[in-house]
Amino acid sequence: MEAKLEVTGREVIKPASPSPRDRLQLSILDLYCPGIYVSTIFFYDLITESPEVFSENLKLSLSETLSRFSPLAGRIEGLSISCNDEGAVFTEARTDLLLPDFLRNLNTEYLSGFLPTPADGESPAAWPLLSVKVTFFGSGSGVAVAVSVSHKICDIASLVTFVKDWATTTAKGKSNSTIEFAETTIYPPPPSHMYEQFPSTDSDSNITSKYVLKRFVFEPSKIAELKHKAASESVPVPTRVEAIMSLIWRCARNSSRSNLLIPRQAVMWQAMDIRLRIPSSVAPKDVIGNLQSGFSLKKDAESEFEIPEIVATFRKNKERVNEMIKESLQGNTIGQSLLSLMAETVSESTEIDRYIMSSWCRKPFYEVDFGSGSPVWVGYASHTIYDNMVGVVLIDSKEGDGVEAWISLPEEDMSVFVDDQELLAYAVLNPPVVA
């Protein structure tokens, strides 16, 4: 169902108190991250206040929250962020559509309309580093709160930490959280002379073909069947992420091959949150920054993809990263070691199918409560998908046992992918969010 949105207001929200710091140093990984926004949309069906009161409360609490997250109200200048209290953008919108109708007849093509839209001259590579868009549905039936943060300073774990703190401040009037930014705790700062050498990462610079985003839902019973199929002697009990990612990679690869005269090499990059793998004495579990690494799986152009084999390689490479982190912590070389690992996957060739995979499972999206309860649904959308790259994001269903997979593919590949019977044996294409 199409959602026609009308923007009713747009303003800049500044921190309630001045920033305690002048600048925040970016790491070399921050600078290499693409100039895009990491975004999530929270949908709520219970609002106890009028839209005017709800919106005003969000603005006031956002101002308070920015005082604790002051770099998010700053501007990127060269190799660091100027914590100048420039502020974050807050946009309000409305639609006559009722939230239950929208969720019952969900059309993922229109989800990006709920995201904040940068105005001329605005960029995630400069300012604003944080944008919010609040959309009220018709007849008081619900609200969508979309949050976008620059990937130059935050990953998805950072976004969730920020939104939870903001929601707590809204609901309870204060937050007792102590916020720390990673800066160069893990990854080193870039040499000053390297700034001009960094590639352009403007969000639209590499788009040359149309990509399509689709939502697939894996129910718990089907995940159990898939894990059984994916098991092998080397990995007798695969995780749900290992099993689902392997199936998606296999099916996406088959879709690509069906549209190519000459098959291409395939590389899957699986992101990892290293907060879960380092002691809190090195960095707190809720530290803000790009605290990610990952590993890759490669297949030659003619190689066949069998799910148990993919899972076994997935597990082996993941354990290799975990072991590297342990060894690097002892020698205080973790950042350099992880950078070397990521450099192994970089290729200048354009004749490669790149699959960028990320699991957002176990992240507490459904604990984000602005005072009227948990979200009825958490959606994903993006304004930008890079050329020659496939994106896959896994998010827990609200019940926690199922998984929603958000998959972006070139349009011609997606037309084949959505009919893949092996995929559809385990996943349902875009079922209603509510009955």
Side-chain angles (χ1 to χ4, degrees), residues 184-202:
T184 56
T185 301
I186 301 297
Y187 291 105
S192 57
H193 68 274
M194 286 184 62
Y195 178 61
E196 296 300 329
Q197 300 177 20
F198 278 88
S200 169
T201 52
D202 288 343

Side-chain angles (χ1 to χ4, degrees), residues 176-246:
N176 296 320
S177 300
T178 300
I179 305 303
E180 292 187 31
F181 282 77
E183 294 192 82
T184 56
T185 301
I186 301 297
Y187 291 105
S192 57
H193 68 274
M194 286 184 62
Y195 178 61
E196 296 300 329
Q197 300 177 20
F198 278 88
S200 169
T201 52
D202 288 343
S203 57
D204 295 328
S205 59
N206 293 326
I207 299 176
T208 59
S209 58
K210 184 176 180 181
Y211 277 60
V212 178
L213 179 68
K214 297 287 185 182
R215 165 181 171 259
F216 292 81
V217 176
F218 292 80
E219 296 295 344
S221 61
K222 292 298 182 180
I223 293 175
E225 291 178 18
L226 178 58
K227 288 171 64 176
H228 178 74
K229 177 179 180 177
S232 64
E233 185 176 341
S234 58
V235 185
V237 185
T239 68
R240 59 180 183 161
V241 171
E242 290 170 339
I244 292 172
M245 288 297 198
S246 297

Side-chain angles (χ1 to χ4, degrees), residues 43 95-99 102 114 135-144:
F43 292 86
T95 176
D96 292 333
L97 192 63
L98 302 182
L99 177 60
F102 177 72
F114 290 92
T135 302
F136 295 97
F137 285 83
S139 302
S141 58
V143 63

Side-chain angles (χ1 to χ4, degrees), residues 23-33 74-83 124-127 129 150 152-153 189-199 201:
R23 305 193 78 82
L24 181 135
Q25 174 69 58
L26 295 174
S27 73
I28 192 169
L29 182 61
D30 293 330
L31 290 181
Y32 270 120
C33 283
R75 174 184 287 268
I76 294 177
E77 296 178 348
L79 305 179
S80 63
I81 293 175
S82 172
C83 302
W127 184 89
L129 302 183
S150 171
K152 290 292 186 181
I153 185 175
S192 57
H193 68 274
M194 286 184 62
Y195 178 61
E196 296 300 329
Q197 300 177 20
F198 278 88
T201 52

Side-chain angles (χ1 to χ4, degrees), residues 109 208-214 255-256 258-259 385-390 407-419:
E109 291 183 16
T208 59
S209 58
K210 184 176 180 181
Y211 277 60
V212 178
L213 179 68
K214 297 287 185 182
S255 298
S256 173
S258 71
N259 289 314
I385 302 169
Y386 276 18
D387 174 47
N388 206 32
M389 289 188 182
V390 172
I407 304 169
S408 61
L409 294 174
E411 189 172 31
E412 64 273 16
D413 291 356
M414 184 62 82
S415 64
V416 178
F417 185 81
V418 295
D419 291 326

Side-chain angles (χ1 to χ4, degrees), residues 38-40 42 116 130-132 145-149 159 162-163 166:
V38 180
S39 304
T40 311
F42 302 84
L130 174 73
S131 294
V132 172
V145 179
V147 181
S148 297
V149 65
L159 182 148
F162 169 81
V163 179
W166 178 28

